[in-house]
Amino acid sequence: MTSTHAFWLAGRQAHGEDTFDVTSPWDGRLVGKVSVPTDAQVEEAVAAAYAVRDEFAATPAHVRAAALDHVSRRLVERTEEIAQLISAENGKPIKWARGEVGRAVSVFRFAAEEARRFNGGEAQRLDTDAGGQGRLALTRRFPKGVVLGIAPFNFPLNLCAHKIAPAIAAGVPIILKPAPATPLSGLIIGDLLAESELPAGAWSVLPVANDHMPALVQDERLPVISFTGSEKVGYAIMDSVPRKHCTLELGGNGAAVVLGDYSSDADLDWAATRIATFSNYQGGQSCISVQRVIADAAVYDRLLPRIVAAVEAQVTGDPSDAKTDVGPLVSEAAAQRVESWVQEAVDAGATLLTGGKRDGASYAPTVLTDVPADVTISCEEVFGPVLTVTKVDGEAAAFAAANDSKYGLQAGVFTHDVQVAFRAHRALEVGGVVIGDVPSYRADQMPYGGAKQSGVGREGVKFAMDDYTYERVLVLTGLAL
């Protein structure tokens, strides 16, 4: 019999009156039952977070760092168990699930390190003008208030980690809402935090339904919202609370640009392999997966068959099999949406080179060329294992094509020319430019976020801590400097 997973209310386990089932998108089996907090329990969590905010902000750095170090160590100890859970509830191939646990280990470790460095303050002498003689300014950062963290399904452990670890490091209470499709991984973080000595109310993990979110979003006791998910939902949240601080990571349709100097057989084999892998990893359900390949005419004819071959070499199937590269999407409805977008493109004149087939929640890795600019798959984030390939003539045309999108999260540029790398950094309207690789590279300590409609603010532990806090200046007078 499957047990019911409790949620975490102000640092303690709790059960609500109702439950919901978490099922595997691969085979439909029951993975777990999750208890749903009542409205009264949600209110208790918010009230506790609000009440503890001053105490938590004053908690010594070593206490917060110790809790974060503890979670990092325990994730290592439970890696295989947690990876199996991620794979079961998300459909993610087990090799990628293990990698996700490893990334979460790093996030909590980085947060522990930042907790020890955070808020030492920056001193600035003010006697550079006569009126500031004998005065010194000390600038430190203080919490904006309780954070509401809303995490998506595609990285159900690591993106929960990116909400909660920076908050704890900065001494900011947080209420974490994991995705309804994949709540179990987020609840695991609660299991591990409960073993620490953080004050009650500093954190809660509440698997509330999406239709209960407007009340939480509107609650004035939660002045900071950190959301990762769809553009539509993210901007709806921001529009509904214009006076709150919102960090939004809303996705993109990542471009991999392959320029003419990247022309040896080894170069093109590397580019094709990386493109094929990272257009399909997580079933293409990553904000920085490769959706668009923009290839210079000088290499296009040699690159395209390599991409098709590398995509066809991706192993699809049971996500619990260590050999599997591509598992199912999160639901059959998600796969049906991808199927309809591909069919729309083909009906409009696109050429289907491989893939284009759906089996339940699974969709075959797909490559399209000659895709019209006005079809959905050219304009929106597909969030599935689908790749379009476009030929351009020269660097300027390639960068213009990459920028021809409402999104701007990350871009990859395959080139050996350092001057081109710097021109790409200046020209591309994105939050990150990756040279010599796909846009899908992310180090969890680096600033991560987008331009245009890919969102506002930055993730990455230190940068999220900055988003959760504000500067406050202390001026000391009568000093002998």
Side-chain angles (χ1 to χ4, degrees), residues 104-144:
V105 168
S106 296
V107 169
F108 279 97
R109 187 181 75 250
F110 295 146
E113 294 167 356
E114 292 296 341
R116 294 182 174 96
R117 286 191 286 263
F118 180 68
N119 224 5
E122 179 181 348
Q124 181 182 19
R125 62 187 306 157
L126 302 178
D127 62 354
T128 51
D129 290 314
Q133 187 168 334
R135 296 177 188 265
L136 180 76
L138 178 66
T139 303
R140 300 171 66 202
R141 301 192 70 89
F142 293 86
K144 292 173 179 173

Side-chain angles (χ1 to χ4, degrees), residues 246-328:
C246 294
T247 297
L248 306 178
E249 198 281 277
L250 304 180
N253 54 358
V257 175
V258 185
L259 294 177
D261 71 296
Y262 214 79
S263 58
S264 73
D265 287 342
D267 285 343
L268 297 177
D269 288 344
W270 162 258
T273 298
R274 297 294 285 178
I275 287 166
T277 298
F278 288 97
S279 64
N280 295 293
Y281 85 128
Q282 328 290 337
Q285 298 169 122
S286 168
C287 300
I288 47 177
S289 66
V290 184
Q291 183 171 331
R292 298 179 294 151
V293 176
I294 299 163
D296 190 286
V299 296
Y300 178 89
D301 290 338
R302 295 167 58 215
L303 176 64
L304 182 58
R306 285 174 161 89
I307 290 175
V308 172
V311 167
E312 291 177 341
Q314 296 287 299
V315 178
T316 62
D318 186 345
S320 68
D321 188 334
K323 297 184 179 66
T324 297
D325 299 310
V326 187

Side-chain angles (χ1 to χ4, degrees), residues 8-25:
W8 291 96
L9 193 166
R12 73 177 194 279
Q13 279 193 325
H15 287 84
E17 298 172 355
D18 297 320
T19 64
F20 66 90
D21 293 344
V22 178
T23 58
S24 165

Side-chain angles (χ1 to χ4, degrees), residues 415-428:
T415 182
H416 294 296
D417 189 329
V418 69
Q419 297 293 340
V420 172
F422 278 95
R423 288 198 294 269
H425 196 203
R426 180 177 295 277
L428 293 173

